[in-house]
Amino acid sequence: MPTPSLDALPIRRLTVRDLGACADLSEDRGWPREEHKWGLLLAAGKGYGIDDPDGGLVAACVVTQYGPYDRPDLAAVGMVLVAERHARQGVGRRLMRHVLAEAGATPLTLHATPYGRPLYEELGFKTTGRAEMLCGHFTPGGPAPRVATRAATAEDLTTIVRLDEEVFGSDRTHIITRLPAFADQLRVAEEGGRIIGYAAAWPNMDTQVVGPLIARDTETARALVTALAARTDRPLRTDIDVRHGELIAWAKERGLASVAFNAVMTYGIAELPGDWRRRFAPLTVAAG
């Protein structure tokens, strides 16, 4: 039997049963396997993939929708990967065109590496911002945070969801309510008994990823990061909106180093909704 051409291979929906194949694809491209993150994205989002007749996946990506279930008002595209043996053959472009067709009128956002950005620009995505990836062992120091933080409780979840929607600009209930099980830590910042910020730290290979990081101001964000760092011996990793230069400079003083810059891109909207002044870091760049 002749091997089917790549263009003839169907694009199908992925499920959590494809987690191993997705992790294998990550590894094939030199990425960490990130099975914990793949599990969340496949459970909470819509995965799309192309099966390789020889086994495994030719390509994959995940789209996480936000807003009302029957009419989402924003969707994040992430984990766009093509197997090395099928790279530079138009597979990524075909997969993204499928995502655009499936999205219809729903606006899209994604974080693009310098390598992937030309393809997204060709498809009509516009750069609307940048995020700086930081990673390293956090070193305590400087003045003690003046903002109080504590571990979140089940009773806080409704308030966290409401605050997140206000800041993010779209309802992420199906993601935020998974944080207690997904993350190692979930903390809130309080003032006068009112929650003014929250953050999670979740395991990704040998690091703890800080995200989401939602805070009233930079001081509150620093207090949350400091508290999360104090409760892990792993390096911290996070992706901070470059407009939050004060927080980035502080994180570097505390031992985190710049790893990369990614372009924040949108399709169908000029700017992301919500309040960027209180949105410091995403849950993960794959899900916004």
Side-chain angles (χ1 to χ4, degrees):
M1 291 289 290
T3 302
S5 71
L6 290 176
D7 289 342
L9 296 174
I11 297 173
R12 68 170 176 89
R13 282 285 302 275
L14 302 176
T15 72
V16 291
R17 293 190 297 273
D18 297 297
L19 192 153
C22 291
D24 290 345
L25 183 58
S26 292
E27 199 168 51
D28 174 77
R29 292 315 304 254
W31 289 21
R33 291 183 63 82
E34 298 186 308
E35 290 172 322
H36 188 59
K37 180 169 74 174
W38 272 113
L40 173 71
L41 295 172
L42 290 171
K46 294 181 176 180
Y48 297 96
I50 301 173
D51 290 313
D52 190 327
D54 296 325
L57 290 169
V58 170
C61 72
V62 179
V63 178
T64 310
Q65 295 180 325
Y66 302 115
Y69 178 79
D70 56 343
R71 46 183 178 85
D73 48 34
L74 183 67
V77 184
M79 308 303 283
V80 181
L81 286 168
V82 177
E84 178 63 35
R85 60 193 177 279
H86 299 299
R88 296 170 294 278
Q89 297 180 53
V91 181
R93 182 178 293 102
R94 179 181 169 220
L95 187 60
M96 283 301 302
R97 289 192 186 282
H98 181 82
V99 167
L100 290 172
E102 289 285 299
T106 303
L108 301 175
T109 183
L110 55 78
H111 283 64
T113 65
Y115 176 80
R117 182 173 168 181
L119 169 61
Y120 302 128
E121 289 177 336
E122 176 188 324
L123 293 170
F125 284 82
K126 306 295 184 184
T127 297
T128 58
R130 284 203 312 163
E132 184 171 2
M133 181 190 296
L134 303 172
C135 187
H137 283 281
F138 183 90
T139 304
R146 292 182 294 177
V147 177
T149 76
R150 60 171 175 80
T153 67
E155 288 73 25
D156 296 322
L157 205 51
T158 299
T159 303
I160 290 172
V161 167
R162 187 164 58 245
L163 173 63
D164 185 84
E165 182 175 0
E166 179 184 324
V167 175
F168 186 75
S170 187
D171 181 9
R172 296 199 288 182
T173 300
H174 67 302
I175 288 285
I176 304 306
T177 52
R178 285 178 162 89
L179 284 178
F182 177 73
D184 289 337
Q185 299 184 62
L186 180 60
R187 297 190 69 83
V188 295
E190 281 188 317
E191 182 181 78
R194 183 172 65 91
I195 292 177
I196 58 173
Y198 84 94
W202 49 273
N204 191 41
M205 309 306 289
D206 60 347
T207 67
Q208 285 272 294
V209 177
V210 174
L213 177 55
I214 300 289
R216 181 185 60 185
D217 49 33
T218 301
E219 184 178 9
T220 304
R222 286 199 300 256
L224 286 163
V225 173
T226 299
L228 293 171
R231 291 160 176 82
T232 181
D233 57 1
R234 292 185 179 189
L236 297 186
R237 203 186 94 192
T238 191
D239 297 83
I240 300 176
D241 187 319
V242 296
R243 290 173 289 188
H244 293 296
E246 187 179 350
L247 183 66
I248 291 173
W250 171 82
K252 291 177 178 178
E253 291 172 359
R254 300 273 65 81
L256 276 65
S258 181
V259 175
F261 288 89
N262 288 327
V264 181
M265 308 187 79
T266 58
Y267 181 95
I269 48 173
E271 296 286 345
L272 287 173
D275 182 2
W276 72 264
R277 293 170 181 82
R278 291 183 287 165
R279 185 176 59 233
F280 287 82
L283 166 62
T284 165
V285 296

